[in-house]
Structure formats: C-alpha cells, structure tokens
Amino acid sequence: MFTRLGFTDYKFYKQQVIEAFEIYKSLRGEVNDGVDLESLSKKVQNLENSQFLVAVAGEVKAGKSSFINSLIKEEILPTDVLQATSALIEIFYAKKPFLRVTYASGRVELFEEESKEIFRERLKSIASIPEEYRDIPVTLIDLYILEHDKVPLIDDDFIKYLEEKSGMERLKEVKYKLEQYAMDRSKDKIPIRIELGYPFDWEFDELRFVDMPGVNAVGGVYDISFSFLDKANAVLFIHPIKPVESESFKRFVSSVITKKSKDVLFLVLTHAAVFYEEKERLLDEAKRIYGSIISPDRIFAVDSVLKLIYEELNKGKPLAEIKKDKSKRKWVVYFQDLADEEGLDEKEAFLEFSGFKQLLPNLERFLVEAPFSILTEVLETIKEGYKEQINHYQETIALLQSQKKDREEFLKEIERRQEGLKKLESYCYLVLEEAMTIFRGVHSPVETTLNEFKFNYYELFLKSSDLEELRKYYRDAENDLDQIVRENLQKITEFFKEKLKQIGEQFKEEYNINLPKIDFKAIEESCKKRVVKREEIVEERIEELFENWNFLKPWKWFKSGRTKKTVIGTKEVLDENMFFKTLKNNLIENFVEIIEKLREEFYSAFDFYKKRITLILEEKRRGLEKLRQELKSNELIDYEILMLEKNINLIEGELKKIDNLQSAFIC
Ligand SMILES: Nc1nc2c(ncn2[C@@H]2O[C@H](COP(=O)(O)OP(=O)(O)OP(=O)(O)O)[C@@H](O)[C@H]2O)c(=O)[nH]1
Ligand SMILES: [Mg+2]
C-alpha cells in the first residue's frame, strides 16, 4: 500500500482528511452514530501536531553531522569537532531561526534570528568538547554531576572508576586536568537539550532530526540518547563504508536497540566517494553481512560531501568557488572529471554520485507509511459513522411515515421496538457474561500469555549482564506488554462483534430495529490507555522529554535504585556491581507488581464495555420515547421527512468524496 507516496502527498491528503473530519463533525450534529467523537477528535488533533523524529546515530566521527547537513541543505551543524555526549542536537523547520539551549539545572538560553554562521559557532561552543579536554572522559564527569548534583572528589577511587568505565589509561597523570574540568562544571553548565529551528529549504516541516553524540567504543549509548532512539520514527545508523564490518553496529543492534526500534532501523554507509570504485561491492557485502539483522532494502551507501556540493551548485555557486573549500576540493576535481567522462550534466552528476537519490525516496516512503494508515483509519471511522447516520435517518423516516398513515399502528410499532431494545440489552449482558467466563480465569488466553511473558522476561532480566542490556529488555518487555493488551482487547472485541452480528440479524427480523453501531475501536483504545497508562505513540513525544531526559519513564519507578554510591563501612564508594545488583532486584520486583496491576485493570475492561453498551441502548430508547410523545401535524411530518432526506443526500455526497480520496491514496 501507499508505495508511491511521499511527504508532499501526505501533507496534501492529511489536509483533505482534516477537512473531511470538520464536515463530518458539522453534519453529525447531535446524532449518536456510534463513533466516539472524543477519541476521533484526538486522533485528528494528533495528526495536526504530528512530528517525525529521525535519530541519527553512529560511532564518533562516522559522519553524522555532515549527513544531516547534507539533508537539510545547510552546513549548520559543526563537523570535525567532538560532540559532547550529553548534548543532543534537534534540528527542525522554523520560520524564524532560533537556538534554544536547556541546561540540566533548568536554565534556558535563547538565541534568535541570527545568521547561519553565528548559529554554527554557538553550536560549536555549546555542543562540542573543548580541544584541551579531549584526552579525559569529560562525559563521565558530567554524568556524575548530573546524577549527584555535586562535583566529584577526584581521588584515586574516582580515577580508577573513570579508567574502568572509559577504557582510558593513566588518567592519574592528568589529575590536574580532571580537577580543572570538574571544578568549572555544574548542572548549570551542562546542556541536555539543544534545539535549532531554522527555515530550511525542506518541503516537510514536521520532520525533526536528532544529531546524536557518537556511540561509545562498545556501541553503547547513554540514557538520554536511548530515550530518543526509543521514540524515533526512524533510526539511521551512520557508518563509514569501509571497513564494512562494524562491531559497534552489531552491538548497537544487539544490546541497545529495542525490538520495536529495530523495525525502524536503517544502515547508512557514508564516505562512499572515498571508495567510489568499490562502492557497489562494499554495499553488497554489507547487505550480506547484516542480512540477518536488517533488511537489505534498508541499507544505503551515500556520500554527504558530494550531496553538499550538489546543494551548493543548486544554489548557483560555481564549482570553481566550491573548490576553494579544502574539504571539498579533491571531490570536486575527481567527480567533475568523472561526470565529463560519462557525459553527464555536471550538477545532476553530483547528486547521482552521492547516492541520496536512492536513500531519500525510500526514507520518505517509510516515514509516511504509518501516518498514512492513520489517515485511512480516520476515514474508515467517519464512513462507519455516516452509514449509521443514514440508517438512523431512514429508520426515523419510516416511523414518521407510519405515524402519518396510521397513528395507532405507529404507537404499536414503537412499543414493539422498545420491547426489542430491552431484550437486546439483556442479550448483551448475557454476551458479556459469556465473554467473562472465556477471558478470565486461570486458563484464559490472557493468563496464559501473561504467564509466558512473565517467565520469559524474568529470565532475560536475570541473565542480563549490564545496565544497557537491562534497559533494552525492560523496554522490550513494556512494548510486548502493550502488544499483549492490544491483542487481547482485540480478541474480546471480535467476540462481541461476532455475537452482536448474530443478535442483530435476529432483531432486525423480529423487532424491525437495527442494532446500534458501537465504536469498538474507540472502546479498545480507551481500555488500552486505562490498562497501560502510557501516552499514545504519535503525539507530543518531544515535549515531555526534558522531564525525562535522564531516565525512561519506567526507569523512574525505581529511581532510588540508581544512585551509584554505596556505603561500605564509613566510606562511600562507587561500586558498579553492587549498584547493578540492586537495580536488577528493584526492577524485577517492580515488573511483577506492574503485571499484577495490569491484570486487574484488564479485567475491569469488561465493566467498561458494559457501560458503553448500556449507554448506547438507553439513548436509542429515549429517542423512540420522544417520537412517541410528540404530536405532529402531517405538515410538520412532511417537513421533517424532507429535512432528513436532505441530510441523507448530503451524507451520501460526503461518502462519495471519501471513497474518491481513499482510492487516490491507496495505490
Ligand atoms: N568524503 C566524505 N567525507 C565525509 C562524509 N561524511 C563525513 N565526512 C567527513 O568526516 C569528518 C567527520 O564528520 P562529522 O560529520 O563531523 O562526523 P560526526 O559523526 O558528526 O562526528 P562526532 O559528532 O564528533 O561524533 C568530517 O571531516 C567530514 O567532512 C562523507 O560522506 N564523505
Ligand atoms: Mg557530529
């Protein structure tokens, strides 16, 4: 589905769907058509505010910043500087340029409407590690300050800890440097969020890139990066094309990336120009090596510098000018020559050679796929609602007509229907009882899956050997739990739907009433929310980040377990093992508790279904009662019928429009 569509199409159809929803709202009026308007409005609102987060990760110096620059067509992110680990940079479209820096203390610095060059310099001074401190593990010192809110005492213990954690040696010799660095550091000086809004020449305003600090030598990332990866709609792992074999990527996939993020992972091999002749071979090799980790159509070879040259040409800068930039000179000369040889248009050739022509459309399609299915969902719900409205109007018209013809017969008809509705209600309750016996209890499908799930993750938690693995498994567990809840609610819904369908047919024949539509999807969604109590995925994933910058939400549950200092005797020491053990125990305890709670919540979902069904039936009964009590002249009846017919016409027109819209984007 949606295979040929990209950002521009999405933007266009999104607008159309929002408009269709507005019309739906106005046509619907007070009629209850079974659609949960609140839930649908929220969905549409999310569409309006949706953002696409693209996390760009990779080893130090892999070419992450250059890659983003080449996509946003501006050389605004500093390259060739070492990005500090606590500093992620978010880049997105803004009409008026601004740079906002949030520090760990909560202090915010805002720079507005400055030139690209000034932003670039500012970013450099805020986000990168100063030259003189490159040989000390500044990140670990920062993390210490962030977690303890005080400067560490640089004693032998601490130095040993730094050496163990960072893999750097002989740090004792630079003790003065460690002290000097630490002395000047405080929460007020450690940036944790850097946002850059700029009027990029990029057709999709909802896109947000995140330039992540390099993953460390063993492929690990810190919590703050992890929470971004976890939320990202696409994760691009950047790696130089040679050597193709990458331990950091493998480790990144095996112990950082959750099962869910794995579905959004791309591998981008950069520096393709440097090994241009071998490019295809290396790409094939990568596809072969990583075949079991990532689908081959998510692996690309690109060269960011060539793309940047193309963008400059596009802006009208002549090659002779571009050549003056030392980092580009070599590539200009080589590829200009190659373009000549192959008889290609000079400008287009740079784009062609850059490899972005393959990557970009694929990335675009990938990113819009999920939102496109939300558009479809919204339209489907609206259609269901409209159809129910038509049913409702037709029923009313029939009643009005019978009222006109024979008043006595009309009253009888209403009574018959009311009686039918009462029966229907008790039938529904019977179905609920039946559902409860199937879905509750020790042998129910819910219990079986939950038990299996509990057992699996208990083992994984116990077996995990470091914090990173534990973090990943915990997140996997959370996602799996989501999935379990979703699937089981779906099963319940299916059960209801099937039963109600049978009842509905029977009632239509016997009592001449249509079974009212029930928005099961919305019931399912609100149940799920109640059960899992976490925000839905699409919306406001960015805003809450500051609050959680250091921990994942669930991580917070056992925040107390995270303090890295352990008191042994009278001395406070940094004991990683002890810390990890405590953390693991706390986590398992929490985990079991959460499942127990979830089970209870899940079962209360039945009450929720019951309430909803009762409400819908009651409303229908009330409507009939109103009709019964109203005395209408024939003239008024004719008028009402006319109005209802007009409504039906309008709705039918809208339905046709929606069908056309759908057939346009399902191609
Ligand atoms: N030829 C070529 N050079 C590249 C490419 N990507 C990056 N470079 C060069 O590689 C160097 C490092 O690039 P950066 O973009 O700073 O790398 P980074 O991953 O952001 O580095 P850190 O933020 O420090 O981890 C720079 O000199 C870039 O010009 C590429 O695709 N082709
Ligand atoms: Mg960088």
Side-chain angles (χ1 to χ4, degrees):
M1 257 211 287
F2 320 131
T3 41
R4 274 177 287 136
L5 300 166
F7 289 152
T8 333
D9 308 284
Y10 173 66
K11 218 166 158 172
F12 174 75
Y13 288 119
K14 184 174 96 175
Q15 215 38 53
Q16 303 276 309
V17 170
I18 292 174
E19 270 163 37
F21 172 70
E22 290 303 325
I23 297 176
Y24 164 77
K25 259 199 321 200
S26 67
L27 280 181
R28 181 191 207 250
E30 294 296 302
V31 181
N32 184 349
D33 58 4
V35 170
D36 186 329
L37 194 61
E38 204 183 312
S39 139
L40 187 64
S41 302
K42 202 148 180 231
K43 213 178 244 176
V44 175
Q45 225 172 25
N46 286 343
L47 279 177
E48 290 186 73
N49 308 328
S50 62
Q51 282 197 336
F52 297 81
L53 191 67
V54 178
V56 178
E59 260 174 86
V60 170
K61 288 279 144 290
K64 300 175 293 296
S65 305
S66 310
F67 175 77
I68 296 182
N69 281 342
S70 79
L71 284 185
I72 59 182
K73 308 174 187 177
E74 294 284 356
E75 293 180 52
I76 201 159
L77 288 171
T79 55
D80 274 338
V81 291
L82 195 60
Q83 193 169 320
T85 313
S86 49
L88 286 139
I89 311 171
E90 296 165 60
I91 308 116
F92 46 88
Y93 177 90
K95 259 200 195 108
K96 286 185 187 159
F98 73 89
L99 178 67
R100 184 164 48 215
V101 186
T102 311
Y103 293 87
S105 62
R107 179 169 68 96
V108 176
E109 256 182 330
L110 183 68
F111 308 99
E112 281 176 300
E113 301 200 45
E114 288 177 350
S115 74
K116 193 167 66 187
E117 288 70 27
I118 294 179
F119 277 142
R120 202 183 133 94
E121 280 315 303
R122 280 202 196 285
L123 274 175
K124 210 166 165 176
S125 65
I126 295 162
S128 59
I129 296 170
E131 200 66 45
E132 70 264 32
Y133 293 127
R134 282 192 179 203
D135 53 349
I136 61 165
V138 291
T139 302
L140 290 173
I141 299 178
D142 280 0
L143 277 179
Y144 184 96
I145 296 171
L146 290 176
E147 283 180 0
H148 297 92
D149 202 9
K150 64 175 185 203
V151 174
L153 176 70
I154 316 281
D155 55 8
D156 288 356
D157 273 351
F158 191 73
I159 292 181
K160 205 171 114 222
Y161 159 80
L162 289 180
E163 285 179 340
E164 268 170 22
K165 273 239 98 160
S166 68
M168 289 181 177
E169 287 168 358
R170 294 157 68 160
L171 288 176
K172 247 187 185 158
E173 290 168 20
V174 285
K175 189 174 176 202
Y176 70 97
K177 225 189 233 190
L178 295 169
E179 278 168 347
Q180 193 186 350
Y181 179 82
M183 201 173 63
D184 197 36
R185 265 336 233 184
S186 70
K187 272 193 168 177
D188 211 34
K189 288 192 179 156
I190 303 175
I192 55 167
R193 186 172 190 191
I194 301 170
E195 297 155 280
L196 173 68
Y198 197 82
F200 299 111
D201 173 23
W202 178 274
E203 50 286 333
F204 202 56
D205 306 350
E206 289 95 331
L207 210 57
R208 189 176 270 251
F209 290 102
V210 186
D211 188 6
M212 315 249 281
V215 298
N216 61 35
V218 282
V221 301
Y222 293 96
D223 280 0
I224 181 163
S225 299
F226 181 78
S227 52
F228 263 94
L229 290 172
D230 196 45
K231 287 161 199 278
N233 301 84
V235 173
L236 311 188
F237 192 91
I238 307 290
H239 192 267
I241 195 163
K242 203 169 180 180
V244 159
E245 190 94 47
S246 161
E247 278 315 308
S248 62
F249 179 60
K250 285 186 193 155
R251 152 103 200 176
F252 183 73
V253 175
S254 71
S255 38
V256 175
I257 283 281
T258 59
K259 283 197 268 182
K260 200 165 142 201
S261 301
K262 212 171 146 182
D263 293 338
V264 302
L265 183 65
F266 286 74
L267 174 62
V268 181
L269 304 166
T270 54
H271 294 76
V274 187
F275 305 98
Y276 198 72
E277 263 123 49
E278 295 171 80
K279 181 180 147 185
E280 292 307 322
R281 183 182 65 74
L282 291 168
L283 183 60
D284 284 344
E285 205 176 318
K287 288 181 179 174
R288 191 174 49 74
I289 296 176
Y290 303 118
S292 60
I293 308 183
I294 179 172
S295 143
D297 57 4
R298 299 256 194 84
I299 304 181
F300 296 90
V302 301
D303 192 282
S304 310
V305 176
L306 294 188
K307 172 75 163 35
L308 283 169
I309 296 174
Y310 165 76
E311 295 303 343
E312 282 185 306
L313 285 170
N314 222 8
K315 284 179 192 159
K317 201 167 170 180
L319 274 178
E321 246 338 273
I322 300 172
K323 230 175 10 188
K324 285 184 186 154
D325 181 341
K326 271 205 299 256
S327 66
K328 295 191 184 121
R329 183 179 172 80
K330 191 156 81 182
W331 310 117
V332 170
V333 174
Y334 183 88
F335 287 97
Q336 194 178 16
D337 206 39
L338 193 64
D340 266 0
E341 237 172 62
E342 296 189 5
L344 296 170
D345 171 70
E346 217 159 56
K347 190 175 86 184
E348 289 306 314
F350 277 91
L351 181 63
E352 192 67 52
F353 296 141
S354 77
F356 277 81
K357 259 176 136 172
Q358 280 77 41
L359 169 68
L360 287 179
N362 275 293
L363 182 62
E364 230 180 275
R365 274 200 295 269
F366 176 80
L367 284 170
V368 297
E369 201 169 320
F372 254 119
S373 43
I374 295 179
L375 294 188
T376 313
E377 256 175 55
V378 171
L379 290 182
E380 283 300 327
T381 313
I382 293 179
K383 262 165 67 176
E384 287 283 304
Y386 276 146
K387 282 181 193 156
E388 180 64 8
Q389 284 174 31
I390 292 181
N391 275 342
H392 175 80
Y393 291 144
Q394 277 168 346
E395 247 182 80
T396 317
I397 290 175
L399 278 174
L400 286 170
Q401 269 161 349
S402 89
Q403 186 177 12
K404 215 170 98 180
K405 221 164 57 201
D406 181 344
R407 205 168 150 78
E408 212 169 301
E409 190 46 45
F410 161 73
L411 286 178
K412 259 196 214 142
E413 172 68 28
I414 287 199
E415 264 164 37
R416 193 153 64 107
R417 289 185 188 198
Q418 279 178 326
E419 193 193 325
L421 281 174
K422 258 211 192 94
K423 270 228 169 93
L424 185 62
E425 194 168 336
S426 19
Y427 263 107
C428 285
Y429 291 164
L430 275 180
V431 174
L432 270 168
E433 293 290 325
E434 199 182 339
M436 284 215 259
T437 52
I438 296 175
F439 291 99
R440 292 183 73 146
V442 221
H443 300 298
S444 68
V446 188
E447 289 297 329
T448 324
T449 2
L450 276 184
N451 281 335
E452 201 177 304
F453 163 82
K454 201 157 103 180
F455 181 73
N456 283 347
Y457 277 101
Y458 187 75
E459 288 236 309
L460 284 173
F461 292 157
L462 276 184
K463 270 198 227 145
S464 41
S465 53
D466 59 27
L467 193 61
E468 215 151 60
E469 234 170 56
L470 197 60
R471 179 179 64 185
K472 167 197 149 72
Y473 287 136
Y474 198 86
R475 200 70 184 100
D476 277 345
E478 262 212 331
N479 289 335
D480 276 2
L481 207 54
D482 256 26
Q483 186 65 18
I484 291 176
V485 169
R486 196 184 295 271
E487 275 169 13
N488 278 291
L489 284 174
Q490 253 165 25
K491 273 188 204 154
I492 297 179
T493 296
E494 283 310 311
F495 177 83
F496 275 119
K497 265 194 178 156
E498 193 43 46
K499 288 277 169 182
L500 290 182
K501 207 173 124 208
Q502 291 166 12
I503 299 176
E505 275 158 22
Q506 191 187 335
F507 272 72
K508 176 124 185 98
E509 218 166 277
E510 221 170 297
Y511 298 98
N512 203 14
I513 49 175
N514 284 316
L515 197 66
K517 277 266 157 27
I518 300 172
D519 192 345
F520 279 110
K521 190 119 199 107
I523 297 186
E524 245 173 66
E525 272 162 28
S526 46
C527 271
K528 195 187 149 274
K529 266 198 199 118
R530 277 158 37 104
V531 175
V532 194
K533 289 207 179 76
R534 275 201 299 120
E535 286 305 313
E536 260 311 313
I537 336 153
V538 205
E539 84 260 42
E540 50 147 32
R541 38 177 47 172
I542 313 288
E543 284 322 308
E544 53 189 44
L545 208 95
F546 172 59
E547 206 208 334
N548 297 309
W549 76 271
N550 200 9
F551 307 97
L552 291 170
K553 261 194 192 159
W555 229 238
K556 275 190 163 172
W557 295 334
F558 46 88
K559 196 170 176 178
S560 58
R562 238 187 112 86
T563 164
K564 278 191 177 154
K565 283 209 164 176
T566 315
V567 181
I568 297 179
T570 51
K571 203 167 170 243
E572 264 193 340
V573 291
L574 290 153
D575 186 337
E576 287 276 303
N577 273 340
M578 183 80 102
F579 160 66
F580 185 57
K581 247 190 206 147
T582 325
L583 184 68
K584 222 183 209 182
N585 284 336
N586 284 357
L587 184 135
I588 289 173
E589 234 169 72
N590 263 289
F591 177 69
V592 174
E593 216 173 275
I594 284 161
I595 295 179
E596 289 311 316
K597 255 203 216 127
L598 178 129
R599 176 181 282 121
E600 272 166 42
E601 284 288 345
F602 189 81
Y603 288 146
S604 69
F606 287 102
D607 292 336
F608 197 70
Y609 273 82
K610 192 169 174 176
K611 263 192 216 134
R612 275 298 170 75
I613 291 174
T614 312
L615 202 76
I616 290 169
L617 292 177
E618 232 175 56
E619 213 164 283
K620 189 130 182 162
R621 261 206 313 257
R622 263 206 308 270
L624 281 174
E625 192 53 30
K626 202 167 146 239
L627 271 182
R628 197 169 70 96
Q629 284 175 356
E630 274 171 354
L631 269 178
K632 286 177 185 150
S633 65
N634 278 357
E635 228 176 5
L636 184 61
I637 290 177
D638 282 340
Y639 173 74
E640 280 186 6
I641 291 179
L642 198 74
M643 292 318 282
L644 291 173
E645 275 167 351
K646 204 178 121 206
N647 276 348
I648 293 179
N649 270 338
L650 282 174
I651 293 174
E652 274 167 352
E654 272 308 298
L655 274 172
K656 211 173 256 156
K657 257 166 58 187
I658 292 180
D659 277 337
N660 288 339
L661 192 60
Q662 273 183 317
S663 57
F665 67 69
I666 301 181
C667 48

